[in-house]
Amino acid sequence: GHYEVVVTDGQGCTTLLEYDIIEDCCKPEPTECKTPENLYCFKNQDGGFLGWSEIPGAISYCIEVNYAGNGECRCEGEGIVIFTSLTNSLPLDEIGSKCFTWRVQAKCCDGKSDWSKEACFNKFTPCFEIEAVNDGGKSDQSANPAVQSSIFPNPSDGTINIDLELPQATNITIEVVSASGQLIETVKQNYDTAGKYQQKIELRNQVVSGVYFVKISDTEGNVNFEKIIVQK
């Protein structure tokens, strides 16, 4: 709302101050601020990032980084630093260390979540690596166009459907990898003509709830990368 404040000094002079107070943009309905889960790391040519499950209703996240480590994950650094992110990820270059433990807390309109379980980041910790990721499935090389792809449903119960749009005949390799870097499934398929195709991968008996990555590559070296959440 709009507010006016009159200030009077010792000599009788008055000053009118006007303020516009912007109300909190949060929804008035209370929502449960759930604890972040599925902590993972992802490395690429730009350095990579830490990630975790997105919390409905979260307006920001606190990431506690312990440079000394903890438990079996001991590091040579010192101190604890709290980082803030508006999304469910944090670039690794902001942390500036190759060894630390970390955990995440969500901030919602009506409070904070509990801290997540602590995760370890060091040279022995599996971290999903991507050599190259094209920009939204598009390529600047007209003689070597990229594969268009989309994945549904997401979240999934373990059944993954992949829509493919191929600009030319090619061989496609699809790899499903867990957040810890474990290869879950590899599917290879040869397509003799350009066109639209759908590939179904059934993983309900092979995966548990968590974050997984789907890497789609063709023989021309184009790579599409997707994150998918499994909820069972």
Side-chain angles (χ1 to χ4, degrees):
H2 183 79
Y3 298 86
E4 296 181 353
V5 179
V6 178
V7 179
T8 304
D9 62 18
Q11 299 178 351
C13 295
T14 60
T15 303
L16 177 64
L17 302 177
E18 299 184 59
Y19 297 92
D20 287 315
I21 306 299
I22 300 175
E23 300 295 333
D24 194 311
C25 62
C26 292
K27 296 181 179 179
E29 298 84 1
T31 56
E32 179 185 2
C33 201
K34 296 183 178 180
T35 304
E37 299 176 335
N38 304 320
L39 276 62
Y40 63 92
C41 62
F42 157 65
K43 293 180 180 179
N44 61 10
Q45 64 272 23
D46 298 322
F49 58 82
L50 302 177
W52 53 90
S53 58
E54 184 176 3
I55 302 302
I59 55 178
S60 65
Y61 300 90
C62 290
I63 304 93
E64 181 189 85
V65 174
N66 185 346
Y67 291 100
N70 196 12
E72 296 181 357
C73 185
R74 292 293 181 181
C75 305
E76 297 180 355
E78 296 182 357
I80 296 176
V81 176
I82 302 294
F83 296 87
T84 300
S85 176
L86 299 179
T87 64
N88 60 322
S89 65
L90 180 69
L92 285 171
D93 56 9
E94 290 190 20
I95 299 173
S97 176
K98 296 182 178 180
C99 183
F100 54 86
T101 55
W102 61 290
R103 58 180 185 166
V104 183
Q105 180 186 64
K107 287 187 176 182
C108 302
C109 294
D110 53 352
K112 303 177 182 178
S113 73
D114 294 331
W115 284 98
S116 70
K117 293 181 180 179
E118 197 169 45
C120 176
F121 181 89
N122 58 27
K123 63 180 180 180
F124 303 108
T125 304
C127 195
F128 188 58
E129 296 191 22
I130 295 296
E131 295 82 9
V133 179
N134 62 39
D135 185 10
K138 299 179 181 179
S139 173
D140 294 331
Q141 301 177 9
S142 58
N144 185 25
V147 174
Q148 304 286 327
S149 64
S150 62
I151 297 180
F152 67 96
N154 193 6
S156 166
D157 63 356
T159 299
I160 302 174
N161 297 290
I162 304 174
D163 281 339
L164 299 171
E165 184 173 351
L166 309 181
Q168 60 191 21
T170 188
N171 294 324
I172 294 293
T173 299
I174 301 172
E175 297 172 282
V176 181
V177 184
S178 70
S180 64
Q182 178 186 3
L183 180 63
I184 304 298
E185 185 73 16
T186 299
V187 175
K188 295 185 178 182
Q189 184 68 46
N190 177 52
Y191 296 95
D192 294 328
T193 60
K196 295 182 179 180
Y197 300 89
Q198 186 174 102
Q199 178 70 51
K200 181 177 181 180
I201 303 178
E202 182 56 71
L203 300 175
R204 284 183 291 182
N205 295 327
Q206 298 174 250
V207 297
V208 297
S209 297
V211 175
Y212 295 84
F213 301 93
V214 180
K215 179 181 178 181
I216 304 167
S217 55
D218 63 15
T219 50
E220 287 71 39
N222 299 302
V223 179
N224 290 354
F225 169 73
E226 297 285 348
K227 181 179 76 174
I228 189 167
I229 296 176
V230 172
Q231 294 180 346
K232 304 183 71 175

